[in-house]
Structure formats: C-alpha cells, structure tokens
Amino acid sequence: MTKFKTLNICALAFIFFSFESFAQKKIDFFNANLSNEIRLESLIKELTLEEKISQMQHNAVAIPRLGIPAYNWWNECLHGVARAGEATVFPQAIGLAAMWDKNMMFRVADVISTEARAKHHEFARKNQGNSAQYFGLNMWTPNINIFRDPRWGRGQETYGEDPYLTSRLGIQFIKGLQGNHPKYYKVIATAKHFAVHSGPENDRHFFDAKADNRDLRETYLPHFEAAVKEANVYSVMCAYNRINGEPACASNSLLKKILLEEWKFKGFVVSDCGAIEDIYFYHKYSKTPEESAALAVKTGCDLDCEMAGIYKNHIAYDSLKLAIKKGLISEQKINDAIKRLFLARLKMGLFDPADMNPYAQIPFSANDSKENSQVALEAARKSIVLLKNEKNILPFTKDYKKIALIGPNADNLNVLIGNYGGTPSKPITLLKGMQEVLPSGFELNYEKGTYLVDYDQFKLEKMPASFVSLPNQTVSGFLAKYYPNITLSGDPKLVKVEKEIDLYLKEGESYLNLGESFSVRWSADLKVPETGAYSLGMGCEDGFKIYVNDKIVVEDWQETHYTQKNGKVFLEKDKKYNLKIEWFKTKGYGRAYLEMIRDVKLKEKALELAKKSDVVVFALGISPELEGEEMSVKIDGFDGGDRTHIDLPKNQEELIKEVKALGKPIVIVLNTGSALAINWAKQFADAIK
C-alpha cells in the first residue's frame, strides 16, 4: 500500500512538473547573463504572430505561457508623476522653463524618475509583476514642441518658443529621467510630439502643417535632434497632424529619413493616442485601416497608443494580421518592432533580478518625501518672474498691515496642478501660503471677487448644504446607495446618509469595503432660494450623470481621468425637485464632488473688503479649466482648449479697474500657462508677478 502511494505521488509530481513546463516555458530571454541580442532572438522564436501584434499596442497583454507579464506603456510625468496617486508636483513645464536653470531641470527630473520607480515597483509587488496605466517605467515626456502661437492651449506643456532654450532644458530633463547607469534606464523619456505640432487643438487630427525645409531645420527639428544625439532619448512620439501632406506617424520624410537614417535613432517610436487611426479616418491618406497600420510600422512607428471606442471600436494595430495576409507588410517588420520594444523593457530591467538593478531597489517611501517637496519648493521659487515692482512695494512693510486677497485663482487648486499634473498630498494655494507665512502684525482677508471668466454671472461652487434634504424629509443630506460594480446593477451593498458629495480616494484604497471599483447613486430633494437659471455639474474621475426630476441635466458616462462638466437647468424658488446623481469609479485614485452655479454677489463683497484694506493682492489669470488639450469649453475667447485672443479676461480687468478707482495700491499675481496681455494692468498696477 505504501509503495502504491509513493508511485502515485511520483506520477502526480511528474504530471504537475510537465504541466508547469507547458504552462510557462523557460527560454533564454529570461537569462540576464546573456546578451540582449540573444535574449531577443530567443523571444522572437517563441512568439506567435498574434502575440507579437498584441505587444505593439500600449496596453500590452500578458503572455502566461512564457511568463511575460502585462505592461501598460501609457505613463505621464510632465511636471511630476501624473494620474498615479499622490506625488510631488512641480511647476508646469512652461514655469520650469522660466527658471532658465539647466541644473535645476535635471534635479526636478531626477526626483520625478525616483518617484516613478517607487510607484512602479510598489504596484508590481502587489500585482504579480504587472503594470497598469500610469504605473509603468517609460514616460511620455517631455513635450518639446515649439510654443509658436501664444493662443495654443497646450503651450503650457512646453519650454516656450525658442528651439535653443528648449533643446538645452529638454536635454537635462531627459537625462534626469533616464539616469546614468551603464546598463539600465531609470525610466525611459519620450520626446514628443514629432513634429511641427503646436495647435490648433480642434483641428489636430486632420490638420496639415506646412513647413519649408528652412523652417523645419531652424524651428521645429533642432531640439528633437538634440534630444536624440545629445540626451540619447530612447523614445519619440509622433504627432496627430500631417506635415507637408504626410501623417506624422507615417511620415517617410520625418520618421524614416530624418529620425532613423540621418540621426541614427536607436530607440522606439510610439504614436500619439489615436494617431494611427487618424491616418485612415481623418487624414484619408490610406484606403483601409490595415494599410494605415502597415504604413506606420514600415516608416518606423513601433507602438500604437490606441483609443478604443473612438473609431467604431477599431484598434489600429489589430489590423496588422490582415495587412500581412494582404502582403502590405512582412512579418520581419513586425519582428523588428518587437525587438525594439522588448529591448526597451530589458533596458528598464523588467525581466532581470532586482538585485542587478539599483533603480529596482528604490523604496516606496521615496515617493512624495519631504526632501522632494523641498526641491519642488525651490523650483517654484525659481519659476516666479517679477515683472514690475513700483517704488519697491514688495515686500510689504508695516504701511500695509491690512491685506485684501482677491481673485479667482487665490484658492484654486487647479492652477497648482496644470495639464498632465499629479496629485499633491499637501497643496498650498496662494491663500493658504499667505496665511502660513504672513508675519504677526499683518491682517489677511480673502474674497473671490469674480470668476475666471464671465459665465453669465455664474460659476460652479460647491452645492450648498441648505439646498438639499433627504427624499421626503427635512433633514439635510443625500441618500447614498453603493454598488460593488460600475454599472449600478443588482442590489446596493451599502445604503447610507451623506451630508455632501465630496470624495477623495487614494489609489489602492478600498472605499467602504467596496474595492477600488464601484458605483453609487445619490438622491435628494432640491430647493433653491431664488428663481433662475442654475447649472449642476461634477468634477470627477470616470463617469457621472445628473438628473433633475428624472431628466438628465448633464452626463459624461465613460472611464476617463479627471474632468469637469456642467449643464444648465431652470429652477423656481422654493419648489421641490428630485435630484439624482450617479457616479462610477474604476481602479486608481478617485475624486468626485458636486457643484452648483449660483450668484453670490462676488464683486460687491470684494469691493467692500478692498475699501477697508491698505493694499489689494489680486490672484488673476487663467487655469487648466480654460486652456489645455482638446477641451469642450467655448466662452469669452476660449475655444476648445485654445484661445482666440490673449487678453486678460474682461471681468478680471474690470474688477482691477474698480478697485484701482478706490485709490488702493495693487499687486497682481498672475497664474497662467500661456501668454496674457496685461496692458492696462502693466500701466496702473504697483507690482506684477
């Protein structure tokens, strides 16, 4: 009997061993002692065509039979690790450029790459070696496009209009990100968007940028060449638009002849997100999706950042199998792209033991540290430009004991974060900063005064608690029903009463034991004190809907990063309305708060405060709410992320004039990504910074 058991155990062990060998075949690719060339050849021999194509898309799936984990190539760190939970946030790129300090640029990038490493390895430890969007080690930064038109909404992401300055700063930023190890990259930087890309945002998917050879060589290419030849950047992102008739991601002139042949670029090329689809759907440069995919790969674009669902659920490089079948491209071209992509993963150390790579040993505690905050503070101080200081009014003396702080950006968190920003753990607005550092003997008071622009005299504010009560009750608050899925389906797992809708959830946090992904429906009775037009909206990650009396006021029901959106509704005084808000959250950090537009007589309160003060500090300008990437806002000179003029918004300038008429000294603090014309303010303000 014992012998029979022993034989059975041996047989089971053999079966189990055989299954393990079949399930996860060990190949030379994982042998860190072999050359990269041998490792890559070993991998290519094992991959099927379908597996190869799956690795040429930004959300590269796992290949369990070979032990290859999933890897998401979409990661951002323009001025701090973005969209991946709390991180050290630095001034926006245009602010970093205002430092005119190459050494500081390197230090900033070095901190960012340290935090990216810390976040990646913490995520990988918890997820069996996989990565997720915004938690990888290659970064789609820096944006070194030339800020040629000051109305461009994404100009804030760049280092300005000068190719030489852009090249010098870009080199240091890339070096700070990629590190100086002889074998491994700290992270891989990406020079983008190649090339001749500087708006307009609304036309970028079909725009044809015309540039003669001199303009190309003197304005649009020198900084990219410096990134490749001097900084050894290992990734380049091609743009959405066409250049002289050729789509940037299928440009024989730019990608093949200049980048690969002339500059001898050895890294990999990634498309801007959805740009491969644009070749066919918008540029009409090719006749079929498979022809677009083949053109892109043959001219040098190795990786497709796809935007599934935007183009009839079509994912561009899924067409490569059909392209090969039709003879539009050879499998050898696919192999070449795969080698470049996996070489990048090898150079990031993703398949080697951690003890071989010093960057893999960076602890999670290195993220958002006090030391990193000090670097951010130093960068912020260096980025400030003093434009005017009449009679040395700054710094304030005892003659200005009563200080009025007025303006839409005085307590606006969005102006601190900027486009492609991270999540600061301890954000300090101008109001908070002045409150913390103002010496004794000074008095500081604050009024908003006006909004960023004139939104028909209204702007989103937090929903007043006095406006809402539980359904059919007089008790203030919302009835909240939480579901353990993102579709509000089935029975709610939790029902509770909440005083307000204002959630801020950290990455990895399981809220109310629901996990990271869940949905919620809030309901309440709504009454307003004045008849008129109101707007309801949400600021949140992922999707939401707002109903009044079961009619949708506004919705944006899709998985996305942070957005703000509102819709108008006419409400009568003291009439009871049924208010319903639905929201779903997917994995990652989450933010959701309900807003309501209401007139609070901002200007009158600000003028009253100014009368009682010795000096007025104005916090003015614009913010990412108005300028950025492909936005929906179209109001008072702002057009889908871009602007139609560069003037300071009229309502802000009018408020300055009314305060100046009171005879008060004025200091203007401007927050802006792109240029602002401040002609009146320059003449009459005492100081501007």
Side-chain angles (χ1 to χ4, degrees), residues 422-671:
T423 304
S425 58
K426 301 177 184 66
I428 300 176
T429 62
L430 180 60
L431 172 61
K432 185 176 180 182
M434 291 183 69
Q435 289 171 335
E436 289 183 357
V437 303
L438 203 64
S440 60
F442 289 86
E443 178 185 331
L444 176 69
N445 295 288
Y446 161 67
E447 288 290 347
K448 191 166 189 174
T450 188
Y451 301 112
L452 286 167
V453 290
D454 188 351
Y455 296 86
D456 299 322
Q457 307 305 318
F458 294 102
K459 179 66 180 76
L460 291 177
E461 297 275 306
K462 184 178 286 188
M463 167 75 81
S466 59
F467 284 21
V468 292
S469 58
L470 295 175
N472 302 312
Q473 297 185 40
T474 58
V475 180
S476 177
F478 297 85
L479 181 65
K481 296 182 179 180
Y482 285 88
Y483 299 80
N485 52 65
I486 63 172
T487 57
L488 296 159
S489 56
D491 295 325
K493 186 176 181 180
L494 178 67
V495 179
K496 64 194 292 276
V497 173
E498 295 179 339
K499 287 290 184 183
E500 62 180 0
I501 299 176
D502 192 358
L503 297 177
Y504 180 77
L505 310 177
K506 296 180 179 180
E507 187 275 323
E509 180 179 353
S510 178
Y511 185 63
L512 302 175
N513 294 317
L514 292 162
E516 285 191 78
S517 299
F518 60 86
S519 54
V520 55
R521 179 181 289 118
W522 291 281
S523 57
D525 290 333
L526 170 66
K527 285 185 179 182
V528 295
E530 299 293 337
T531 296
Y534 288 78
S535 276
L536 292 169
M538 289 278 282
C540 63
E541 275 82 26
D542 296 325
F544 76 94
K545 298 178 183 179
I546 298 179
Y547 304 79
V548 171
N549 287 351
D550 293 323
K551 292 184 178 179
I552 288 182
V553 175
V554 59
E555 65 176 322
D556 191 5
W557 196 258
Q558 61 178 325
E559 183 178 341
T560 183
H561 53 79
Y562 179 83
T563 57
Q564 288 179 300
K565 195 172 184 179
N566 61 283
K568 288 188 176 181
V569 60
F570 186 85
L571 303 173
E572 296 180 31
K573 179 180 179 180
D574 294 333
K575 183 177 179 179
K576 186 169 73 173
Y577 297 89
N578 172 250
L579 174 65
K580 182 170 65 178
I581 301 99
E582 298 174 343
W583 176 58
F584 77 85
K585 175 192 175 296
T586 55
K587 286 187 176 182
Y589 67 95
R591 182 87 171 94
Y593 56 94
L594 178 65
E595 300 175 308
M596 186 169 192
I597 290 178
R598 56 195 295 254
D599 188 357
V600 291
K601 297 181 179 179
L602 297 178
K603 183 186 289 186
E604 290 84 347
K605 291 182 178 181
L607 292 173
E608 196 61 36
L609 174 60
K611 289 176 184 177
K612 299 182 292 186
S613 304
D614 300 322
V615 64
V616 178
V617 176
F618 274 110
L620 305 176
I622 52 181
S623 87
E625 297 168 61
L626 299 173
E627 59 171 343
E629 182 176 3
E630 260 194 327
M631 299 164 66
S632 59
V633 61
K634 292 178 180 289
I635 188 171
D636 192 23
F638 296 89
D639 183 22
D642 296 327
R643 291 187 287 159
T644 57
H645 62 72
I646 63 170
D647 296 336
L648 189 69
K650 292 178 182 178
N651 57 307
Q652 296 186 37
E653 188 168 288
E654 288 169 1
L655 182 58
I656 305 172
K657 291 178 179 179
E658 291 192 46
V659 171
K660 186 65 179 179
L662 299 175
K664 301 293 181 179
I666 291 175
V667 173
I668 295 177
V669 178
L670 291 173
N671 292 106

Side-chain angles (χ1 to χ4, degrees), residues 42-62:
S42 168
L43 178 66
I44 289 293
K45 290 176 183 177
E46 298 294 335
L47 293 173
T48 66
L49 177 59
E50 290 81 2
E51 287 170 340
K52 292 172 186 175
I53 292 171
S54 76
Q55 301 302 299
M56 295 174 67
Q57 297 166 9
H58 83 261
N59 192 13
V61 300

Side-chain angles (χ1 to χ4, degrees), residues 7-31:
L7 288 171
N8 273 327
I9 291 170
C10 291
L12 286 170
F14 176 78
I15 293 170
F16 179 74
F17 174 78
S18 299
F19 174 76
E20 283 291 291
S21 298
F22 174 77
Q24 192 174 108
K25 186 175 182 180
K26 299 298 181 184
I27 57 177
D28 285 343
F29 176 73
F30 293 97
N31 187 341

